[in-house]
Amino acid sequence: IADFSQALKLNPRHASAYANRGLTWLAQGKRAEANQDFAKCLALNPDMRPFIERRIAELAQEGIQGK
C-alpha cells in the first residue's frame, strides 16, 4: 500500500495505482478503502473496470480455495 500511495503522490492521476491499491485494501478486508480507490480509478479511466472486476473475482476465488 505504501508503494502505491507513493506513486499516487508523484502522479495523482495514475489510475492503475488506485486500482492496485484498492485490490490490496480489498485483500486485507478493508472494503471502504478499496471502494474509494476503485471509484477514483474509474473516474480517471473507466476502461479499467474489466481489470478490476477480473481481479476481484480472482481474489474471491483464492479466498474460497484457501478455506
Side-chain angles (χ1 to χ4, degrees):
I1 290 184
D3 289 341
F4 295 125
S5 296
Q6 181 62 31
L8 290 165
K9 284 182 186 177
L10 297 172
N11 180 2
R13 298 191 54 79
H14 197 302
S16 63
Y18 280 113
N20 285 303
R21 189 174 70 175
L23 291 164
T24 304
W25 284 126
L26 191 60
Q28 294 179 358
K30 298 183 178 181
R31 294 181 67 170
E33 292 89 340
N35 287 334
Q36 288 177 346
D37 278 353
F38 294 150
K40 288 177 186 175
C41 171
L42 294 173
L44 292 169
N45 185 352
D47 294 336
M48 294 283 297
R49 182 174 296 279
F51 167 77
I52 293 170
E53 290 174 347
R54 185 174 58 250
R55 289 296 296 133
I56 289 172
E58 290 169 359
L59 286 172
Q61 186 67 20
E62 290 169 9
I64 292 169
Q65 292 177 352
K67 291 184 179 181

